[in-house]
Amino acid sequence: MLKNKLSSVLLASGLMAASALSQAVEVVNVYSYRQPFLVEPLFAEFSKDTGIEVNMVFAKKGLSERLEREGQLSPADLVLTTDISRLMNLVEKDLSQPVDSQSINNDIPAQYRDPEGEWFALTKRVRNIYSTKRSDKPEGITYDDLADPKYKGKICTRSGKNAYNVGLVAAYVAHNGEEATKEWLQGFKENLARRPQGNDRAQVKAIKEGVCDLSIGNSYYFGKMMTNEEQRPWAESVYINFPDQKGHGSHVNVSGMVLTKHAPNKDNAVKLMEFLASEKAQATFAEVNMEYPVNPDVPVSEMVASWGAFKSDDLPVYKLAENYATAQKLLDEVRFDL
Ligand code: FE
């Protein structure tokens, strides 16, 4: 008897919970490695257009591990991240599901999405060579030049373990093979002015301070330094160079999105994905973080446009992920950071 009463109470409360859910607002839950300042304006626009609320968990690390741990019970619908290796890692761990959306496929060129629809790039990020204004802007600079003995003791960079650098080395492997890459890395290392350290912007600061003449860094940091009072003089002390214009073109990595395998709000998540690929959202990406939109109909920001047009490497980005482990191995072998 007691048992029956108990179960009917449970049933009633279960029903109440169910009806509360059905009355709840529409939501989509995002795990984001991308910073709030960048994605929050996008989510606000999306919510305004659709009435769908976006909940976000932001972290610099560990979100894919969290997704894996949570399994089928994960509340996450969508993961936003930088770097193709991280996007493909989610797919390899079977944490993604495919999306077949005509609207997304129209907005994102084939080179920047998975043929099976498991991941989609949203922005392109160029790896540049910054050079000191104490000398003339180098003509036709290449990534190969980083290993040229004429730059001995003149180059600064962040760690070889950083994903931006591993991505660049992975592209070099894809184009030139393992052996040539190792040789290049040895020459590059011999040209370093100091042990790899700090972030991309710290290298430009070091150029200003006379520690080195060249550094590698992503292009959007040039814009970020230019709009930061303390860092502006660093940026003003260098030229931004787009390498390999007569060769493969400048190295490009991406940021992107993945629909989670167990997305509880799948329809809403796909709507958000379609929005992020749309002209409206892509323009916000271009403006707020000074990245290059993957949607070819969207112009870059005014400041980014002022750095000039350039040819980017059209190596399909999944090739970077394919060569990522090899790149890491070679960086270790030459003891790049030591
Ligand atoms: Fe960055």
Side-chain angles (χ1 to χ4, degrees), residues 34-35 82 125 158 164 200 218 220-221 224:
R34 305 234 62 192
Q35 293 178 56
T82 58
R125 302 142 66 81
R158 74 194 304 166
Y164 300 159
D200 280 356
N218 287 354
Y220 54 88
Y221 288 121
K224 288 188 177 202

Side-chain angles (χ1 to χ4, degrees), residues 8-197:
S8 64
V9 169
L10 283 176
L11 186 66
S13 64
L15 282 174
M16 272 164 63
S19 76
L21 267 181
S22 67
Q23 283 167 21
V25 283
E26 292 283 320
V27 297
V28 54
N29 300 323
V30 179
Y31 281 4
S32 179
Y33 287 107
R34 305 234 62 192
Q35 293 178 56
F37 87 89
L38 173 62
V39 288
E40 272 165 1
L42 291 161
F43 296 161
E45 278 181 73
F46 174 73
S47 296
K48 209 174 110 199
D49 289 357
T50 60
I52 301 169
E53 228 173 67
V54 184
N55 303 312
M56 173 180 60
V57 176
F58 163 74
K60 284 190 167 171
K61 279 179 185 163
L63 290 175
S64 62
E65 290 78 5
R66 177 165 168 178
L67 193 61
E68 209 173 3
R69 256 194 333 266
E70 291 168 339
Q72 293 188 31
L73 298 174
S74 177
D77 298 299
L78 191 64
V79 181
L80 296 179
T81 182
T82 58
D83 207 279
I84 184 64
S85 64
R86 274 179 161 175
L87 288 168
M88 289 184 64
N89 193 253
L90 291 163
V91 181
E92 276 155 23
K93 286 180 164 169
D94 197 25
L95 298 171
S96 64
Q97 64 170 306
V99 175
D100 184 15
S101 155
Q102 199 54 53
S103 148
I104 298 179
N105 293 348
N106 286 341
D107 282 334
I108 303 180
Q111 178 194 349
Y112 297 115
R113 54 183 156 86
D114 178 44
E116 314 295 331
E118 301 274 354
W119 57 263
F120 299 85
L122 287 169
T123 62
K124 293 187 273 180
R125 302 142 66 81
V126 185
R127 200 119 184 92
N128 295 85
I129 296 178
Y130 294 104
S131 64
T132 177
K133 283 189 177 167
R134 292 182 291 270
S135 322
D136 291 341
K137 189 171 160 74
E139 270 292 311
I141 198 160
T142 65
Y143 297 114
D144 276 329
D145 288 338
L146 298 171
D148 188 323
K150 76 177 172 195
Y151 291 121
K152 192 161 181 74
K154 291 189 176 355
I155 303 179
C156 285
T157 178
R158 74 194 304 166
S159 166
K161 296 191 191 312
N162 178 267
Y164 300 159
N165 281 342
V166 181
L168 172 64
V169 175
Y172 201 99
V173 175
H175 287 308
N176 305 294
E178 220 177 301
E179 213 173 302
T181 305
K182 190 168 178 181
E183 213 172 290
W184 170 65
L185 281 175
Q186 265 154 348
F188 184 178
K189 187 194 168 179
E190 274 161 35
N191 284 345
L192 295 180
R194 60 179 187 181
R195 250 184 78 184
Q197 57 193 270

